[in-house]
Amino acid sequence: MARLEEYRPIVGSDTLEELALLARPLAGKSVLNVNSTAVGGGVAEILSRMIPLLRELGLDARWEVVKGGEDFYAVTKKFHNALHGDPQTVTPKDFQVYEDTLDENLSRMPLEEDFVFIHDPQPAALVKKRRALKNHWMWRCHIDLSRPDPSVWEFLKPYVEQYDACVFSAPSFAQKLNIPQMLIAPSIDPLSDKNRELPESEIQAILERLGIPLDKPLVTQVSRFDRLKDPLGVIEAFLKVKSYVDARLLLVGGTADDDPEGAQVLAEVRERAKADPNILVLCLPPTSHVEINAIQRASAVLVQKSLREGFGLTVSEALWKGNPSSPDRSEESRFKSRTSIRERSFTQRMAPPIG
Amino acid sequence: MKERAETPFRFFTRLTLTTLTGLRAGSGRELMEGIHTVPDNVIYQHTHRFLQQHQFLTPEPPNDFAYWATQMLGDEELGERLTSVDTVRFSNLAELRRALSSAIEKHLEKRGDGRAAPAGKEFHFTGAVRFSIPTPHAAESLTEFAEALRKVSIASLYLHIYEARLRPPHVINDFSNWFERELGRPALAKKVAGLDPYTHTLEGLRAKIISFIEQEESHGQA
């Protein structure tokens, strides 16, 4: 795991100095982060890198994951989609499953740290313990909450308003709430296996091992197999442009413990991919960070055609690596692309965007 | 002229946490109404914080309102009017707010309500919680000052050069104030005060100030 000192050439000495100044009054304070999966997805990726850095800065930071059965994750996936604005049929039983599962978690989690950060809707109702504990609770929302399905939002909102504050990733996600709302952009780690520099020989070896030919330019979408990432839409877009551009489409992703729909979406994508031998579908384990890095670096264009996006880590990853990217319609991705494109100039592998 | 100051210059740095208001504007009129009513920290966020955040490019619109009017609303004339509001000239946020509001009002009087922003391109009013933190860097002489200036963040530079105007003694930046009051160097103070934030990046300003100090020191030795 990278030490803070290793970031000095990237962020500069002044940033490291400011981090130390900010951390000083918090030295020794306990900070607990809670989410719903230890591997797969952006939140787990962020926390796995951030917790060691917070500890190095002197904070007693920890990370816990809520436990739930298949029924819980089926319900929270419905919540996730509904909060992203995709209407769902949520039954009273679904709400009961959610409450019961979090009550079980509450019975085993002391949650007595000075600061408790709860990530996303899955563990949001843990806040019901807050009043008895009198510590500080923050809800960190990583999803696009700009047009939530009212049935789920009206259920969740009373829990959210029990927090001291909540944090969103884009201004348009703000809601009318009686607690302070903050904006903090999530970030990628330039020194992680997923983003560090790779020698060309390593990139070639990884692509060879994965069976990805490089005889044609690669147009790639990296994302979980999730309907909101619109992998079928990417295939349709590729089929439209392939008569003009001789390229290969690569849809690469994995599954997350808290996403029960993944296998079904993957099966649909594989079926549709049969339409053209130039479409490759690759399902990798959630720990395949260096493989994703190599694929991104080898690609001519990186696509992120999400219908909704809480953050869009892959757009940041593409920009960091200097790849042309074709971001989705989501506000956060467009914002990032606009600002980042104004910061960086692309000289590598220019190709027209699709989608 | 003195070699060492009685009161050392302590460098501070400034950090901001962005807050969300849930307020938005979809037209020039709604933007003006928002500017009328939002708290001062929202005006600060879209002017001073914006200016510092976008310091790496020049020329750059001096405030978020101008950027939105031009890029999202597609109203270049309104964008120009807002661009001409010189954020760092104002010694308080109330005056800055009035100038922004007046620029939009004049435009609406002349052009009518004009166009509306496309769906999803509305202006989102955000606020700022601002933290000033003392850094370990301090200076008693020009040489020490230049050495520290090489190390501090650009946020520190912005705080002492431009944001200083919002604090007493108004109108003068912290560096110029210290050069003149503590070291008796009015010419250096004047040169630093005359730096234009819209034609330099903050890194460019840092280099300029260091070169002014080096010139001052070499003249002193000559």
Side-chain angles (χ1 to χ4, degrees), chain A residues 13-15 17-18 21-22 24 146 167-176 180-184 331 334-335 338-339 342-343, chain B residues 13-15 17-20 22 24 54 56-57 60-61 67 72 120-121 124 126 133-137 151-155 206:
Chain A
S13 297
D14 50 352
T15 298
E17 187 178 286
E18 285 179 352
L21 289 170
L22 278 174
R24 197 172 297 158
S146 55
V167 181
F168 293 103
S169 302
S172 59
F173 300 172
Q175 288 291 318
K176 291 202 186 320
Q181 302 176 65
M182 311 293 173
L183 174 71
I184 299 178
E331 178 63 21
R334 281 183 306 188
F335 171 75
R338 190 178 76 228
T339 52
R342 292 163 76 211
E343 290 165 32
Chain B
T13 191
R14 182 209 64 163
L15 297 156
L17 178 62
T18 300
T19 58
L20 302 173
R24 62 185 72 179
H54 292 78
F56 43 79
L57 284 179
E60 179 70 16
Y67 178 80
M72 302 300 162
K121 303 276 190 186
H124 294 272
T126 59
I133 305 170
T135 73
H137 304 292
K151 293 177 186 164
V152 296
S153 67
I154 55 167
R206 188 203 304 266

Side-chain angles (χ1 to χ4, degrees), chain B residues 3 20 33 58 76 93 97 103-104 122-123 134 144 147 156 166 173 187 198 212 219:
Chain B
E3 289 303 312
L20 302 173
E33 287 164 1
T58 56
E76 288 188 13
L93 292 170
R97 182 201 298 267
I104 304 175
E122 296 86 1
F123 185 87
E144 289 173 8
E147 196 177 319
S156 172
L166 298 178
N173 70 73
Y198 306 112
F212 289 161
H219 288 159

Side-chain angles (χ1 to χ4, degrees), chain A residues 53-124:
Chain A
L53 296 176
L54 288 172
R55 293 186 72 83
E56 196 182 335
L57 283 165
L59 282 76
D60 179 15
R62 292 194 311 110
W63 172 17
E64 283 194 33
V65 175
V66 287
K67 292 185 171 67
E70 280 180 17
D71 52 351
F72 174 70
Y73 289 117
V75 168
T76 56
K77 182 67 183 180
K78 278 191 194 177
F79 282 16
H80 178 87
N81 290 341
L83 292 169
H84 265 301
D86 184 16
Q88 303 283 311
T89 306
V90 185
T91 65
K93 190 184 167 209
D94 290 335
F95 292 125
Q96 196 59 51
V97 165
Y98 177 81
E99 301 257 20
D100 291 348
T101 306
L102 290 184
D103 284 345
E104 285 165 24
N105 278 275
L106 280 171
S107 65
R108 69 169 181 86
M109 298 172 86
L111 300 166
E112 289 168 343
E113 283 75 3
D114 297 313
F115 299 95
V116 180
F117 277 87
I118 302 292
H119 295 262
D120 277 339
Q122 296 94 327

Side-chain angles (χ1 to χ4, degrees), chain B residues 1-3 141-143 145-146 175-176 178-180 182-192 207-222:
Chain B
M1 194 181 297
K2 287 190 278 187
E3 289 303 312
S141 67
L142 278 183
T143 307
F145 190 94
F175 293 169
S176 294
W178 189 76
F179 293 148
E180 184 160 0
E182 290 292 327
L183 298 179
R185 294 175 188 267
L188 176 62
K190 195 175 172 191
K191 273 161 93 174
V192 172
K208 269 273 188 228
I209 297 169
I210 290 169
S211 80
F212 289 161
I213 292 171
E214 286 169 350
Q215 283 168 22
E216 180 83 8
E217 285 186 308
S218 64
H219 288 159
Q221 285 165 358

